[in-house]
Amino acid sequence: MDELTLLQRLHENKTPTQESLTRGRAALFSQINNPGPAPRSVKSRRRVGGLSALVAFGIAGALVATNIVGLGGWRGGADSAAAAVLERAATAAISFQDPQVSAGQYLLVESENVHVTDGQEQDGPVIAYTISESSDLYVPADRDGEWVWQRNPISVVDVLTPGGEAMVARSHPTSGPAAEPMLLAAAGGAFYGISVDSQWGDFDSMPRDPYRLLNHIYLTTLGAGSSPDGEALVFIADTLRQGTAPADLRAALLRAAAMIPGVTITDDQATLDGTTGTAIGRLEGVNGMRDEIIIDPDTGTLIGERTVATSAIPESSIGAGDVWSWSSVTTSVVDSAPTGGTSSGESE
Amino acid sequence: MSDDNETIRKSVGTPAVFAEVYDRHAPAVFRYAIGRVGHSHADDIMSETFLVAFNRRASFDLSVVDARPWLFGIATTLIRKHARVEARAWKGLVADGAAAVPFDAIAAVGTRIDAEIAVKEIAAALRKMPARDRDALLLYAWSDLDYAGVAEALGIPMGTVRSRLNRARHTLRRASHRASRPEQEVDHGRTDVVAETA
């Protein structure tokens, strides 16, 4: 039996209950009869059953219990230089005033993500290249109001495999539907019918005490990523990157990062998208990549993130120390947002 | 019963017709989702997939008869937003899956202990795999789509599906070998794509 067959056998061949089929059908008919912004999806009752749920509850219970003892805080933390930079940034973040968004205005979060990908045509060689994905998120002053999200088309930055230019050009045409930006609009930020909390994080429920926050993060990311500490840093970077976290939460996140073992200054003069800051990261031994967040210690602002290859990846023409991906985020206040978007980005 | 494309074409003018697409494919979308996000979220993914599909029905390529690649593509996009839930679901796969490894799989890997280790390694390998490789692998393994269907669902060329599947399968193979031959030192470097696709 090969690995694929084993994987297929592991898959539960379950059918939905009649109750959940009926509920899904009702949600669909509610949409059919009431076109316009997509309603929030019908949340099913969380069922409890099976060994996995019991095991999950056991682990979760243990972690909740250890909130007194805690996974965070007693196993050491970031090295002293990194901790000092993070503390300085946290102090700055808390005193740094968030831009005030007045009624009718929007907080504009511009983000760009550049990363290595690959493609292959029928029987052709694998071609590695770098693409850029960018988007502009407009968050209204009233967070229950209409959010607007412009997702720009993918653009090719660089072709890494010699001779791959023609294939990349065919995969990413610069005209036609794929080259058009997608414009989404949804009340309360429920793009694609998904509530804003599951997409952007429920900031209100996150503790502001760094120690409790770090344990909250360990609990939330349980089982994900290449290590609990590495994934905690990824969670912190993800949350900071959204650009919508309030100042007190940003400060707590930076202090929580200072409590993660293995976190260190990886580059004190890291330049990202033209801005220089301090790179703080953690080497993950497993996948040969190092995730870093780059912050401006003087303001506590996140400049961006990057992933650096710690060993060469010849098939992608990447050398040790090369940047595998980076992303930057900037926020500002604007008076208007594009109009005409739909909840799924397609014309209705 | 008309083909999916015919049903979707009619639903542009007569929206209620779209419920036929739901009745036809909702169970398959659920089956795919349950493997990736577990029982508690599979209902939501199934429901959300058809809400998004309904809103996008005007953009469906009417020359494609079968709507499943389109629907699985939407479901995959929605599942990506639940990455943390997905990681927890694989914890469940380790617990449930190890107990439920079929008899012939046990025979193949030796003992039940070996089988449990193999499942654990596979779950760990899935967790660490790049998302684009994992999407291709799990669509292929759990949604009954062929290479062309996976390409359609993910909006990528068929050759790319092949290279992603090769890479993902290589990773899984390495993981299950690691489980069955623990005394061997295993290279933790990246897959040699060139060798795999040659």
Side-chain angles (χ1 to χ4, degrees):
Chain A
M1 173 174 293
D2 68 7
E3 66 292 333
L4 189 60
T5 317
L6 182 60
L7 186 63
Q8 283 164 336
R9 291 298 191 87
L10 285 174
H11 187 218
E12 295 177 89
N13 194 13
K14 293 263 169 64
T15 49
T17 60
Q18 195 54 47
E19 182 197 354
S20 86
L21 275 175
T22 307
R23 207 167 37 225
R25 209 169 193 277
L28 178 61
F29 266 100
S30 145
Q31 178 80 338
I32 288 171
N33 295 326
N34 181 26
R40 292 192 172 198
S41 72
V42 184
K43 286 283 170 202
S44 63
R45 284 178 290 125
R46 301 280 178 246
R47 277 189 302 272
V48 178
L51 185 58
S52 62
L54 283 176
V55 170
F57 272 105
I59 297 167
L63 273 168
V64 169
T66 56
N67 207 14
I68 305 156
V69 181
L71 248 187
W74 57 273
R75 296 174 301 126
D79 70 27
S80 57
V85 169
L86 286 162
E87 178 54 36
R88 190 168 130 219
T91 308
I94 200 85
S95 53
F96 186 79
Q97 284 291 311
D98 273 328
Q100 290 301 307
V101 187
S102 309
Q105 288 187 312
Y106 294 85
L107 178 70
L108 169 59
V109 183
E110 295 168 278
S111 56
E112 181 173 18
N113 177 238
V114 174
H115 62 93
V116 176
T117 186
D118 62 41
Q120 183 190 30
E121 287 178 332
Q122 199 88 36
D123 302 324
V126 174
I127 308 294
Y129 56 102
T130 313
I131 56 170
S132 166
E133 298 169 284
S134 67
S135 76
D136 303 327
L137 176 70
Y138 296 79
V139 183
D142 171 9
R143 300 232 164 170
D144 292 329
E146 187 174 75
W147 297 36
V148 175
W149 191 16
Q150 178 165 318
R151 306 182 69 178
N152 299 316
I154 290 170
S155 64
V156 176
V157 177
D158 194 13
V159 178
L160 303 174
T161 307
E165 290 77 7
M167 190 232 84
V168 174
R170 282 191 292 275
S171 298
H172 296 277
T174 50
S175 60
E180 296 292 322
M182 192 182 267
L183 191 62
L184 296 105
F191 301 110
Y192 300 109
I194 299 169
S195 87
V196 67
D197 290 348
S198 64
Q199 287 183 68
W200 313 101
D202 177 11
F203 298 144
D204 291 343
S205 74
M206 292 188 196
R208 298 314 196 249
D209 171 69
Y211 169 73
R212 285 186 178 280
L213 177 61
L214 185 57
N215 280 328
H216 169 89
I217 294 168
Y218 281 129
L219 188 60
T220 308
T221 59
L222 180 66
S226 47
S227 76
D229 292 327
E231 190 62 13
L233 190 63
V234 169
F235 180 97
I236 289 170
D238 281 354
T239 310
L240 288 171
R241 178 182 353 114
Q242 289 159 22
T244 52
D248 62 338
L249 180 58
R250 291 203 305 273
L253 287 164
L254 292 168
R255 290 193 169 111
M259 295 163 74
I260 299 174
V263 166
T264 182
I265 293 178
T266 48
D267 187 352
D268 57 5
Q269 288 292 309
T271 302
L272 197 71
D273 208 13
T275 311
T276 302
T278 305
I280 295 201
R282 195 174 179 286
L283 175 62
E284 295 298 322
V286 181
N287 60 2
M289 295 281 180
R290 184 179 65 226
D291 292 320
E292 301 174 338
I293 55 175
I294 297 167
I295 52 175
D296 178 346
D298 299 327
T299 62
T301 321
L302 178 82
I303 296 169
E305 293 161 71
R306 67 182 186 188
T307 302
V308 177
T310 53
S311 53
I313 308 162
E315 66 267 27
S316 296
S317 308
I318 291 278
D322 284 355
V323 174
W324 175 262
S325 69
W326 63 262
S327 58
S328 66
V329 57
T330 55
T331 55
S332 56
V333 176
V334 293
D335 292 329
S336 63
T339 55
T342 62
S343 66
S344 63
E346 303 289 340
S347 53
E348 287 176 342
Chain B
M1 191 169 72
S2 59
D3 290 330
D4 291 339
N5 55 351
E6 182 58 17
T7 309
I8 293 169
R9 189 188 60 76
K10 282 187 203 153
S11 78
V12 174
T14 315
V17 174
F18 197 82
E20 282 180 32
V21 180
Y22 177 86
D23 294 340
R24 241 174 255 167
H25 300 305
V29 171
F30 177 88
R31 274 197 298 276
Y32 167 59
I34 198 172
R36 299 201 55 173
V37 292
H39 282 84
S40 56
H41 288 79
D43 287 350
D44 292 343
I45 296 292
M46 176 181 77
S47 175
E48 286 165 13
T49 296
F50 287 89
L51 294 181
V52 173
F54 175 73
N55 282 321
R56 291 188 185 179
R57 67 195 187 285
S59 64
F60 179 75
D61 180 355
L62 292 171
S63 68
V64 180
V65 174
D66 184 357
R68 285 180 313 155
W70 179 58
L71 293 167
F72 283 124
I74 294 170
T76 302
T77 305
L78 292 171
I79 286 167
R80 281 190 202 129
K81 295 178 191 301
H82 291 270
R84 293 180 200 290
V85 174
E86 188 174 24
R88 283 198 290 275
W90 289 322
K91 287 275 178 186
L93 177 73
V94 175
D96 275 353
V101 178
F103 184 77
D104 51 350
I106 295 172
V109 286
T111 66
R112 174 164 289 281
I113 300 295
D114 287 348
E116 288 182 8
I117 295 169
V119 171
K120 206 171 178 175
E121 290 289 349
I122 282 179
L126 281 174
R127 206 165 63 217
K128 291 171 192 164
M129 200 176 274
R132 60 211 166 100
D133 294 352
R134 188 166 63 223
D135 284 343
L137 176 72
L138 296 182
L139 272 172
Y140 185 71
W142 292 349
S143 74
D144 294 332
L145 294 179
D146 56 12
Y147 278 24
V150 175
E152 181 80 27
L154 297 177
I156 54 178
M158 205 145 80
T160 308
V161 172
R162 196 173 288 116
S163 74
R164 289 185 188 178
L165 277 174
N166 276 339
R167 204 164 37 216
R169 292 186 64 171
H170 182 91
T171 306
L172 279 193
R173 203 174 310 141
R174 214 166 42 179
S176 51
H177 284 182
R178 189 156 55 228
S180 59
R181 287 198 299 275
E183 74 280 6
Q184 275 197 340
E185 189 55 44
V186 177
D187 174 26
H188 285 272
R190 299 176 73 86
T191 310
D192 182 349
V193 178
V194 178
E196 273 298 293
T197 52

